[in-house]
Amino acid sequence: NFKPAFYCIAGDMITHASSHFGAVPNEKDFQLAISEFRQFKSDADKLDKQVALKLVLGNHDTHPKETEPEIFWKVFPGYPSYQSVDI
């Protein structure tokens, strides 16, 4: 039975962290972004646990004033900001 080496979601898991280029979320969008990440996590948790999940933050998953992915880390605490994978 074949299993992939990993799953990779290549950015834009959500939209409300930065709805368009340069946008910084207001409090409502900040809370919506957290809610979107929670829903994404709920769906991702249904994937096969024996296959690693690699998440890549896209331009809608962060905003220009973040030096670290603060919104993302509300739902995925400690998840690495950057990763590399040798295949």
Side-chain angles (χ1 to χ4, degrees), residues 57 61-73 79-82:
L57 297 173
D61 302 319
T62 62
H63 63 79
K65 297 214 177 197
E66 287 184 311
T67 56
E68 298 290 345
E70 64 175 322
I71 299 173
F72 177 72
W73 281 347
Y79 195 90
S81 301
Y82 301 95

Side-chain angles (χ1 to χ4, degrees), residues 5-42:
F6 58 89
Y7 300 119
C8 180
I9 306 298
D12 295 345
M13 294 166 268
I14 68 166
T15 59
H16 281 90
S18 185
S19 60
H20 59 278
F21 183 76
V24 176
N26 59 27
E27 184 58 31
K28 178 182 175 189
D29 285 335
F30 186 88
Q31 294 304 320
L32 282 170
I34 292 170
S35 178
E36 286 178 316
F37 273 129
R38 284 185 180 133
Q39 182 59 57
F40 174 83
K41 185 175 185 321
S42 174

